[in-house]
Amino acid sequence: MSNTELTHRIAHLDDLNALRALMNAAILELQKPFLDDQQIASSQTIMGLDTQLIEDGTYFVVECNGELAGCGGWSRRATLYGGDQSPGRSAALLDPSRDAARVRAMYTHPDHVRKGVGRLVLGLCEAAARNEGFTQVELMGTMAGEPLYRACGYAVIEPVQDARGGAAVPLLRMGKRL
């Protein structure tokens, strides 16, 4: 962990394959202490990358010493969570004067947990949303992500069970004032 240098940049469409591989590794490995095999399989259906975030220029890639370590972004659109394959997405634009920006699709590669990747992504997302006039943010947290989100000032708005992928996956809708 010493000599860890995290860098970040805006994601590009040519990052898609690497990002999907990272997300898959994170879902398969980091959810194990919290979900059973059926729930993990269901998570792969309801979670993932929404390429709209990349097209909007609101999705970040984090590298650790040049290696892909994590990713995540924020959105000014209505969808709270889910990937391209997830049902029920909405590209409707939010109103910063009344709506909360969305923190979306945060993933850390299992080889890079506990290095500050998630905190870096949250900070980038919150600053960008604030710069566009948003005064609050929301996200849909996994059980694995909940401790980080709480440590960064997010509070539970409501618990959710999402069974769109087959097995019900426990999630937490969380929010924070900026």
Side-chain angles (χ1 to χ4, degrees):
M1 194 151 110
S2 60
N3 298 329
T4 300
E5 183 183 331
L6 297 179
T7 58
H8 63 86
R9 62 177 172 80
I10 296 291
H12 304 286
L13 289 173
D14 60 356
D15 294 317
L16 284 176
N17 289 338
L19 291 171
R20 287 190 178 117
L22 181 148
M23 291 173 184
N24 192 48
I27 292 170
L28 291 175
E29 197 59 35
L30 302 180
Q31 297 298 324
K32 280 182 185 176
F34 305 94
L35 304 177
D36 64 30
D37 290 345
Q38 290 176 321
Q39 290 171 313
I40 290 172
S42 184
S43 294
Q44 291 178 300
T45 299
I46 64 171
M47 298 176 190
L49 181 59
D50 182 344
T51 53
Q52 181 74 60
L53 300 171
I54 294 176
E55 292 166 2
D56 286 347
T58 61
Y59 202 69
F60 302 99
V61 168
V62 176
E63 294 175 332
C64 179
N65 299 323
E67 182 177 307
L68 185 60
C71 54
W74 74 281
S75 183
R76 59 183 74 84
R77 297 181 185 276
T79 297
L80 182 57
Y81 70 105
D84 289 340
Q85 78 289 349
S86 303
R89 293 168 48 232
S90 171
L93 290 172
L94 299 169
D95 178 350
S97 70
R98 70 168 191 267
D99 298 320
R102 312 306 197 208
V103 173
R104 302 273 318 272
M106 284 190 49
Y107 295 91
T108 299
H109 191 281
D111 292 344
H112 294 283
V113 295
R114 299 273 186 255
K115 294 180 181 178
V117 173
R119 282 184 186 272
L120 175 58
V121 171
L122 277 176
L124 293 167
C125 292
E126 291 170 3
R130 192 179 300 110
N131 286 341
E132 288 208 16
F134 286 92
T135 60
Q136 54 190 340
V137 289
E138 287 186 12
L139 57 80
M140 188 64 76
T142 62
M143 299 301 105
E146 178 190 9
L148 169 67
Y149 302 135
R150 281 190 189 274
C152 291
Y154 287 77
V156 174
I157 296 169
E158 68 176 331
V160 174
Q161 294 281 326
D162 189 332
R164 294 176 298 163
V169 176
L171 300 166
L172 295 170
R173 184 171 155 231
M174 302 179 82
K176 176 182 178 178
R177 293 206 63 76
L178 295 176

